[in-house]
Amino acid sequence: MALSNDDIRAAAERLDRAERTKVQIRQLSLDHPAITITDAYAIQGAWIEIKLAAGRRVRGHKIGLTSKAMQSQLGIGEPDSGILLDDMFFDDGGIVPTDRFIATRIEAELAFVIKHRLAGPHCTIFDVLNATDFVVPALEILDTRVQRVDPETKATRKIYDTIADNAANAGIVLGGRPIRPLDTDLRWIGALATKNGQLEETGLAAGVLNHPATAVAWLANKIAPQGLALEPGQIVLAGSFIRAIETTKGDTIQADFGPYGTVSCYFG
């Protein structure tokens, strides 16, 4: 690790303050040019500790950067992950309070509801399917507490900034019809994502590492060295298979998963 414990704690406090004040911070990768991915996850963990100390509860995990295109764009070879907390969940068809966030975007994906403890190393797609109770359509609400483009240098946000920023996660909406994981080929589940009735994006779940359960297996293996596992009842967002849709106050977002139902929210 390139950052000291004091650096990590200070960065986590800055992110927490940015979320509370709705004022984005300068990219951590500019303030700490030697930052590593290990440092970034340490900052994320320190920020989550601040939230847990304030009364939040862990409800699950999110996986991001699961497409080859996004990984190539950022110069990495694997996804990233963040933590889902209890105050991030919004009702299907409900109101998302826009003033709680800074700059929201939204993605369509599948969420895995874990039934049996899922631990690495050597976790496989088959282990994931056997350990999953249901798969459900979901929307992920993204936000960024870190500036996407630095106003002075014009530098764009790096993978370290995104990981430290809890992988840009801000909210989740579950909806549609719960699916038993072996009842269909999850790769072929698709979504039509609309904003205010206009079609914005489409995609297939195969866009997530060829099979969304592969992403869940990656996560179980990734967190295993820390002695962690995916626990029963946890929700795991497997990763988006559409490009993120920019949203503002007054927007209605709906993802139509065909025979698996719809999931929607309104930014009020």
Side-chain angles (χ1 to χ4, degrees), residues 1-173:
M1 293 173 64
L3 274 62
S4 69
N5 289 336
D6 288 344
D7 289 335
I8 289 166
R9 177 70 185 188
E13 290 174 347
R14 288 179 62 203
L15 286 165
D16 193 60
R17 190 180 312 111
E19 184 176 63
R20 288 185 284 103
T21 62
K22 314 299 181 294
V23 178
Q24 291 177 326
I25 64 171
R26 189 169 187 257
Q27 295 164 21
L28 299 171
S29 57
L30 290 177
D31 290 340
H32 302 284
I35 191 173
T36 66
I37 285 182
T38 300
D39 292 325
Y41 275 112
I43 294 169
Q44 180 192 122
W47 187 20
I48 295 301
E49 286 179 7
I50 292 172
K51 288 173 170 285
L52 296 180
R56 301 275 62 84
R57 292 185 301 108
V58 173
R59 287 282 307 276
H61 303 260
K62 70 144 289 184
I63 305 167
L65 304 179
T66 52
S67 74
K68 291 296 184 184
M70 285 300 296
Q71 290 179 15
S72 298
Q73 182 178 326
L74 291 171
I76 61 170
E78 66 176 17
D80 69 355
S81 67
I83 302 296
L84 300 178
L85 300 172
D86 57 338
D87 64 340
M88 296 176 175
F89 285 72
F90 297 93
D91 292 335
D92 182 19
I95 297 174
V96 176
T98 310
D99 58 4
R100 175 175 152 179
F101 305 106
I102 301 173
T104 51
R105 294 174 297 151
I106 204 159
E107 296 177 334
E109 43 202 286
L110 293 175
F112 285 65
V113 183
I114 306 301
K115 186 176 184 179
H116 304 298
R117 192 171 194 266
L118 189 61
H122 314 305
C123 179
T124 69
I125 183 176
F126 309 109
D127 297 322
V128 172
L129 295 174
N130 284 329
T132 299
D133 198 1
F134 294 103
V135 177
V136 295
L139 295 173
E140 181 183 5
I141 302 165
L142 305 174
D143 198 10
T144 175
R145 281 67 57 165
V146 178
Q147 293 173 336
R148 291 189 204 173
V149 179
D150 182 70
E152 295 178 6
T153 66
K154 307 305 178 187
T156 56
R157 187 178 48 173
K158 304 294 188 295
I159 181 63
Y160 317 104
D161 303 297
T162 303
I163 290 173
D165 194 15
N166 198 26
N169 178 256
I172 172 176
V173 183

Side-chain angles (χ1 to χ4, degrees), residues 61-71 79-81 84 105-112 136-142 167-169 171-172 186-187 189-193 200-216 218 236-246 253 255 257 263:
H61 303 260
K62 70 144 289 184
I63 305 167
L65 304 179
T66 52
S67 74
K68 291 296 184 184
M70 285 300 296
Q71 290 179 15
D80 69 355
S81 67
L84 300 178
R105 294 174 297 151
I106 204 159
E107 296 177 334
E109 43 202 286
L110 293 175
F112 285 65
V136 295
L139 295 173
E140 181 183 5
I141 302 165
L142 305 174
N169 178 256
I172 172 176
L186 298 179
R187 298 176 306 156
I189 294 179
L192 308 176
E200 292 277 336
E201 293 290 340
T202 66
L204 287 175
V208 178
L209 301 179
N210 191 48
H211 195 297
T214 303
V216 181
W218 169 85
V236 180
L237 282 174
S240 178
F241 45 87
I242 66 166
R243 288 182 298 180
I245 301 170
E246 302 279 349
I253 303 293
F257 285 74
V263 55

